Amino acid sequence: MLKRILGLAALCATLLLTGCATVKPMAYSTDAPQAAANDKVVYLMTATIRNIYRPSYQPKLLVAHVEMPNAQSKEERINFKIDAEGSLENSTPEVGNTYLLRMELPPGEYKLVGLTCLNKSFPFTVNYLVPIHATVNQTVPGTYYLGHVEALLRERQGSEFRAGPPIPLVDQSIGGASGGSFDVVFSDRWTEDSELFVTHFPAMKDLKVASAPLPPFDRAYAQKWWEDH
């Protein structure tokens, strides 16, 4: 058990380290070109994260983790950092925090591993990991909508995967990361999401977007992944 606890904590720390992954800005951000390259694929996705277990500690997205198949090197792991333009934060358990993700990649197969989130409420800092574990594989350049991710943090039952590493013990417990688990649902919300993207990124107004919905969230896979790490 101690080995698993330390392993999960080390994993979450590793996912945040820029030395272990290539950090990239989201497409259409002020840190990236306003137009995506013609030879690239852009994946659009929205995510809403809520904490009803410890409602005073709403997770805020830091990075989305993407990997190439059997990733071994920094270049094969990509951390897309969220930006202010793509952050719609309400920070209440009723509404939660919503994010507009725009991930530009060369065509090919990738795994969307998860979303690392953080809550800083002095003097505590709480780390969370929303599991996604979905494979995307587009060989034709263009823009693709993956759907909406709804991640609800509630009290953990039995041996369910945790919402974050158990250490540091006090911070992770107070924020609900160690004692909570995420319910994750993927859905098609393009009507609402398309308006959000265009409102916050006018350069996307005339984009042709193809639908490429994620398969239903595989909780059994997420559980096994957590147990293995």
Side-chain angles (χ1 to χ4, degrees):
M1 177 62 70
L2 178 60
K3 182 178 179 182
R4 180 186 298 174
I5 289 173
L6 294 175
L8 181 60
L11 172 68
C12 291
T14 298
L15 289 173
L16 285 174
L17 291 176
T18 59
C20 296
T22 300
V23 179
K24 295 183 65 175
M26 297 283 179
Y28 301 99
S29 73
T30 54
D31 295 328
Q34 287 301 298
N38 292 331
D39 61 344
K40 298 294 177 55
V41 171
V42 176
Y43 292 107
L44 303 181
M45 184 173 77
T46 59
T48 298
I49 306 161
R50 297 192 293 134
N51 184 354
I52 61 171
Y53 176 44
R54 295 286 191 264
S56 296
Y57 296 84
Q58 295 303 313
K60 296 186 177 184
L61 180 62
L62 289 182
V63 294
H65 306 290
V66 178
E67 293 184 355
M68 295 180 184
N70 304 311
Q72 299 295 324
S73 67
K74 171 182 176 180
E75 290 73 24
E76 294 172 329
R77 297 185 176 96
I78 305 100
N79 286 352
F80 286 96
K81 61 180 181 179
I82 195 61
D83 45 25
E85 303 102 307
S87 302
L88 312 178
E89 294 177 345
N90 181 277
S91 292
T92 67
E94 294 79 17
V95 178
N97 295 322
T98 294
Y99 300 93
L100 311 181
L101 283 70
R102 303 95 53 206
M103 298 171 286
E104 180 180 285
L105 293 161
E109 181 178 336
Y110 300 89
K111 181 179 179 182
L112 307 183
V113 179
L115 309 174
T116 283
C117 305
L118 189 73
N119 180 283
K120 288 186 176 182
S121 299
F122 183 81
F124 306 110
T125 299
V126 191
N127 293 282
Y128 307 89
L129 180 62
V130 178
I132 303 294
H133 302 303
T135 297
V136 295
N137 188 2
Q138 297 296 334
T139 58
V140 178
T143 304
Y144 298 85
Y145 173 66
L146 301 178
H148 177 73
V149 176
E150 187 81 22
L152 180 69
L153 199 167
R154 41 83 177 164
E155 187 172 7
R156 179 176 181 247
Q157 302 297 318
S159 60
E160 290 181 316
F161 64 79
R162 300 180 189 273
I167 54 178
L169 295 175
V170 175
D171 298 55
Q172 296 300 96
S173 175
I174 284 179
S178 58
S181 185
F182 280 108
D183 284 333
V184 182
V185 177
F186 304 150
S187 62
D188 184 346
R189 216 175 66 169
W190 179 240
T191 301
E192 301 95 322
D193 286 351
S194 60
E195 294 182 2
L196 288 176
F197 279 115
V198 172
T199 297
H200 292 271
F201 304 96
M204 299 175 66
K205 181 179 178 180
D206 297 321
L207 273 183
K208 292 183 178 179
V209 181
S211 178
L214 297 176
F217 176 67
D218 190 340
R219 189 172 185 90
Y221 181 93
Q223 181 70 26
K224 186 178 187 306
W225 185 90
W226 177 78
E227 292 171 355
D228 291 345
H229 291 80

